[in-house]
Structure formats: structure tokens, C-alpha cells
Amino acid sequence: MSIYLTPFARTRLFPRTPRANTIQDCSAEEFEQHLNTHAADKVLDGYAPFCKLHVYRNWTSTRCLTVPVSEQNRHLLRSGYEARSREELPVLVRWFEGVEPPVANYLVVILYSREQLEKEGSPIEADWGVVGCLYTATAEEIPMAPITMMRNALGVEEGGSGVPIDRAAYARAVEFWGANANWR
């Protein structure tokens, strides 16, 4: 099985100007090589048949992606409209500023099949393409953000995958993201 780091994931996980909330101590090329030379500790089914999650013990100093919201840190939450790429419409997001999460125990790599990426207009030669990565304390997926579920339901024209919203999964995501936030 071959894995390719897609341009979409590369710009988010390895930005030109390094950020503390992206993958640390590893270049994009080293990351892709690691995925192709080390077996995942665990493989999970994703939200659709074309999506798999490969769980690796964190080999970097990358910190957890999310922080629980508490009365002590709620004042550090910020929000704004942002797009993940030039092609997508901006959506409302929130994040913490001024917090330092613990180092993640796991990197949960989100993979899409070659067929799905071709359908989305991003053909690859590998079997699977990296579209994202979660940095977590446990070897489990954190729920997809509700706005990502909505974007997916809008279809590939709007930066999604074309998978309809699963109301139960959406409710779980709202519960999780109501109690947690990303950080910068």
C-alpha cells in the first residue's frame, strides 16, 4: 500500500511559515516516508468507505490538536471567518490563543482512497492520499467538526466529499466541539 501527502494536507500540516499547532520536528517528506515505511499501530474506519484513519504513536513533539474549554481558559477563546484554501468559502471558526496543550500521544492520519481523490479533482498515483492529521491523547478519532460535515454534504464543488450528514455523528460532534477548541 502506498501513501501520498496531498497538496491540501501538505499546506495545512507543513505550512511555509511553521506554526506551533502543526506537525513538529519532521519535514513533509520525512512524514510521508514514515507513513510508507512504518505500519500503523491501528487502522480505523473513517466516516465513509473511502476514508481510513491510520493511528501512529507520535514520533514528534507535536502537541494535542484540541484543548478542553473550562472557566479558567474560556476568556482565551477567539473566533473569526476563515477558509481552508483559496477555493473554499470562509466559515466561522474558533480557537484558543495563549494555551499550551500537552504533547500528543498519537498522530491519527486521515486517508482518502485514490478513487475519491480523483472524484474530488485531486488525482494521485498512490493507493491512498493524506487529507489531514489529528494529534490526540488517545488512539481514537476525535469527531469531525460540524462545519466540515456540512461542507462535505455540500459536495465536491464546495470543498466537500459529497457524503450526506449523519445526524447522530453531527450531534456527537456538536457535543465534543462545544466542550473543546483548537489552539494557535
Side-chain angles (χ1 to χ4, degrees):
M1 179 181 83
S2 57
I3 298 173
Y4 173 72
L5 182 60
T6 65
F8 176 80
R10 183 179 293 261
T11 59
R12 297 181 76 216
L13 304 177
F14 300 94
R16 284 190 184 125
T17 303
R19 298 189 316 259
N21 65 344
T22 58
I23 295 178
Q24 305 295 304
D25 309 321
C26 180
S27 70
E29 294 73 24
E30 291 168 334
F31 182 77
E32 184 179 81
Q33 181 181 18
H34 188 93
L35 301 182
N36 280 292
T37 58
H38 294 80
D41 295 325
K42 188 176 182 180
V43 176
L44 305 171
D45 288 332
Y47 73 102
F50 58 77
C51 180
K52 295 291 179 191
L53 304 161
H54 282 205
V55 180
Y56 296 86
R57 174 122 342 239
N58 185 5
W59 69 92
T60 72
S61 64
T62 304
R63 296 186 175 279
C64 286
L65 184 68
T66 63
V67 175
V69 177
S70 68
E71 289 307 315
Q72 292 73 34
N73 64 20
R74 186 178 305 278
H75 69 284
L76 300 172
L77 280 170
R78 305 293 181 261
S79 62
Y81 283 90
E82 296 180 350
R84 300 181 304 179
S85 70
R86 289 186 188 119
E87 295 78 32
E88 291 183 359
L89 296 171
V91 297
L92 184 62
V93 294
R94 74 176 184 165
W95 64 91
F96 279 112
E97 287 183 359
V99 299
E100 188 169 315
V103 172
N105 294 325
Y106 297 93
L107 300 181
V108 181
V109 181
I110 306 166
L111 303 172
Y112 276 16
S113 69
R114 172 182 27 223
E115 296 77 18
Q116 179 64 23
L117 288 169
E118 185 167 337
K119 176 181 172 184
E120 294 184 19
S122 301
I124 61 171
E125 293 187 21
D127 301 315
W128 295 90
V130 177
V131 296
C133 186
L134 308 172
Y135 328 132
T136 65
T138 63
E140 301 297 326
E141 175 185 18
I142 60 174
M144 185 184 301
I147 190 59
T148 304
M149 291 180 180
M150 286 190 177
R151 182 183 286 115
N152 281 342
L154 289 174
V156 297
E157 302 81 20
E158 299 299 335
S161 62
V163 173
I165 290 178
D166 173 322
R167 292 182 75 84
Y170 189 88
R172 286 190 302 276
V174 167
E175 182 178 346
F176 177 85
W177 288 103
N180 295 274
N182 291 322
W183 62 279
R184 297 182 184 173

